[in-house]
Amino acid sequence: MLVDAAVRPEEFPPDFVWGAATASYQIEGAATLGGRTPSIWDTFCAEPGRVVGGDTGDVACDHYHRYGEDVGLMRTLGLAAYRFSVSWSRVLTPSGEVNADGLGFYDRLVDEVLAAGIDPWVTLYHWDLPQHLEDAGGWPARDTAARLAELAAVVGGRLGDRVGHFITLNEPWCAAFLGYGNGIHAPGRHSAADAVAASHHLNLAHGLSVQALRAAAPDALVGTTLNLYPVTAAFPGADSEDAVRRIDGLQNRWFLDPALLGSYPDDVLADLGALVAPTLIQDGDLGTIHQPLDFLGINYYTRHVVRPSAYPGTNAGEFTHRGLPTAANGWEVDPEGLTEILVRVARDYPALPLFITENGSAWDDTVEADGSVVDADRLAYLAAHLAACARAREQGADVAGYFAWSLLDNFEWAEGYAMRFGLVHVDFATQRRTVKASGEWYGRFVRAARDILSP
């Protein structure tokens, strides 16, 4: 599948941020080294049937030992920025003390990234909750929000002299509803009430962590990252439109509104009804969540297409497709949706710089006899979505940067190693890295765009 999209570096401003992204559990490995304790993903992976192939993140890309090589790849690609997350259970012990070895790893990583002329962007929480906190109640427990603020204070205090951008959360919708609602992500719980409670406490953790980061790293810029989807009706009709409203409300507005407007949407509160426990949203919570932000991160992969459920009374709606080409994981390739969501956020919410903090696609990559990986579909996907960013800018959205997902093929959560999103191919048996054709193209594009600074 090839997408015809003409996009030129000249369509982006000289200060546009060009990067790639990863996450700690997906690449680091070294699961028991340096004082790291188990996270919910270690526990989840150990349960038979949870992850495709029984895969785990125990070794992953061995980035813990190979970060120097990986930073060299970033330099080869000409990246201006690198977004990564810290492993909470590597940084803090179960007693809440700082693990010097674990925090020291991120010290070294930041220094290596800076020495390569690349700006580090640090995400505090990318789904790997320490298992001891899950044992104490996890995200459905209010205290977990305060614990993330403690991590923010430690990481901000140690790295804030060199890190200019911090992201509080990555995709809290996934952490709450996939982890505690339908159980396909760690910790694998199945409780609608727990999922709603987790979503509020993640929002609260965001606000508390912004406050902690402002105090610990006053010169840094702080934002959060949400996975946003335009939601489209599969066919016209009042039932379809209500399904769109419900899905959009819980997927998008439930997180955008409290962070950027200081309130939960009334219609979603009504939809959730008794799932919102009387004591869940306490006095002052919305003020805490609604912290001034310096930017908003948006992760985009595809669009939600919904229709009324075929079984009335059981579900508000069902997901379907529009008949577009699909990537290896079944997600439709829909770059127009990226333009739509960017323009909508710019239109409906207070003005902020918008950064695409993840965007990418999985394909069935083939290693050729000469060792190369010619991934034309991923290359076309990147080009089409960069063109979508350019169109959003033309329509008034302040799109200020783009981070490709992902730098490396890695552990893709419940899909294990079955899905490859990387610009760089990883042979997990040997840990050999090979830049794919998409990575070479992205590198040329990035270098051409950065050359605009000094023609």
Side-chain angles (χ1 to χ4, degrees):
M1 188 280 300
L2 292 176
V3 179
D4 182 17
V7 61
R8 303 184 314 278
E10 293 81 8
E11 296 178 72
F12 298 91
D15 60 350
F16 196 83
V17 175
W18 297 100
T22 64
S24 53
Y25 190 76
Q26 294 182 265
I27 67 166
E28 284 180 4
T32 61
L33 300 182
R36 182 185 179 278
T37 58
S39 77
I40 56 175
W41 274 95
D42 296 286
T43 303
F44 190 78
C45 291
E47 298 175 7
R50 291 293 201 178
V51 177
V52 172
D55 293 338
T56 77
D58 289 353
V59 176
C61 304
D62 196 29
H63 178 74
Y64 184 83
H65 295 109
R66 300 171 185 268
Y67 69 89
E69 177 184 357
D70 293 337
V71 173
L73 288 168
M74 300 175 210
R75 185 192 296 113
T76 297
L77 294 175
L79 301 185
Y82 171 50
R83 177 187 172 226
F84 64 93
S85 72
V86 297
S87 166
W88 192 340
S89 55
R90 197 181 293 284
V91 173
L92 294 179
T93 68
S95 63
E97 298 176 352
V98 174
N99 173 27
D101 286 345
L103 192 54
F105 168 71
Y106 297 109
D107 246 340
R108 297 190 298 276
L109 175 59
V110 166
D111 287 345
E112 187 86 10
V113 169
L114 288 169
I118 300 167
D119 290 333
W121 288 51
V122 173
T123 301
L124 286 177
Y125 184 69
H126 199 131
W127 304 355
D128 48 354
L129 184 71
Q131 182 61 43
H132 73 272
L133 290 178
E134 174 62 19
D135 294 340
W139 283 111
R142 186 178 179 89
D143 184 65
T144 306
R147 302 288 77 79
L148 184 67
E150 293 174 352
L151 177 70
V154 169
V155 173
R158 182 65 168 267
L159 304 181
D161 60 331
R162 287 156 291 157
V163 172
H165 297 81
F166 286 96
I167 294 169
T168 56
L169 303 174
N170 179 79
E171 300 187 359
W173 183 91
C174 292
F177 292 100
L178 300 185
Y180 293 91
N182 66 14
I184 64 172
H185 278 190
R189 292 204 221 171
H190 296 268
S191 167
D194 282 350
V196 172
S199 70
H200 176 63
H201 295 145
L202 281 154
N203 284 337
L204 184 62
H206 156 72
L208 293 170
S209 296
V210 173
Q211 293 174 338
L213 287 167
R214 298 271 189 224
D219 295 330
L221 301 180
V222 180
T224 193
T225 280
L226 305 177
N227 55 316
L228 302 180
Y229 296 76
V231 185
T232 301
F235 48 80
D239 289 345
S240 291
E241 292 306 318
D242 189 60
V244 167
R245 180 194 62 77
R246 286 173 173 269
I247 298 299
D248 175 69
L250 198 58
Q251 172 71 60
N252 297 322
R253 292 182 286 121
W254 187 249
F255 297 95
L256 282 166
D257 284 20
L260 301 183
L261 301 178
S263 62
Y264 280 114
D266 289 338
D267 65 310
V268 183
L269 288 168
D271 290 340
L272 294 173
L275 291 174
V276 181
T279 59
L280 179 62
I281 304 171
Q282 299 184 10
D283 289 346
D285 281 4
L286 286 165
T288 298
I289 296 168
H290 185 213
Q291 295 296 310
L293 297 181
D294 299 304
F295 63 90
L296 176 67
I298 295 175
N299 291 355
Y300 175 82
Y301 291 94
T302 189
R303 177 193 304 270
H304 282 335
V305 182
V306 301
R307 62 189 178 193
S309 174
Y311 304 96
T314 58
N315 293 299
E318 295 178 343
F319 296 93
T320 184
H321 282 174
R322 295 204 299 171
L324 299 176
T326 58
N329 59 356
W331 294 348
E332 286 192 313
V333 178
D334 194 336
E336 290 78 12
L338 177 55
T339 302
E340 289 179 29
I341 201 68
L342 288 167
V343 171
R344 175 193 173 182
V345 171
R347 180 193 65 223
D348 293 350
Y349 293 91
L352 280 175
L354 305 177
F355 290 88
I356 307 304
T357 37
E358 288 182 25
N359 178 239
S361 55
W363 301 96
D364 296 324
D365 297 331
T366 300
V367 179
E368 305 295 340
D370 62 359
S372 65
V373 179
V374 183
D375 56 337
D377 289 323
R378 184 176 292 104
L379 191 162
Y381 181 101
L382 288 170
H385 286 75
L386 289 178
C389 290
R391 288 193 296 273
R393 286 183 52 83
E394 292 171 356
Q395 296 177 45
D398 183 12
V399 186
Y402 178 93
F403 290 77
W405 184 268
S406 175
L407 176 70
L408 304 168
D409 289 338
N410 55 44
F411 176 83
E412 279 295 338
W413 308 113
E415 299 295 336
Y417 299 102
M419 296 297 163
R420 293 179 176 267
F421 280 81
L423 300 174
V424 176
H425 181 273
V426 178
D427 181 329
F428 295 106
T430 65
Q431 294 296 335
R432 180 180 178 183
R433 275 82 159 134
T434 304
V435 179
K436 303 175 188 178
S438 63
E440 293 175 350
W441 178 88
Y442 185 62
R444 290 193 300 273
F445 192 94
V446 167
R447 287 190 295 273
R450 297 184 70 187
D451 284 346
I452 296 172
L453 287 168
S454 53

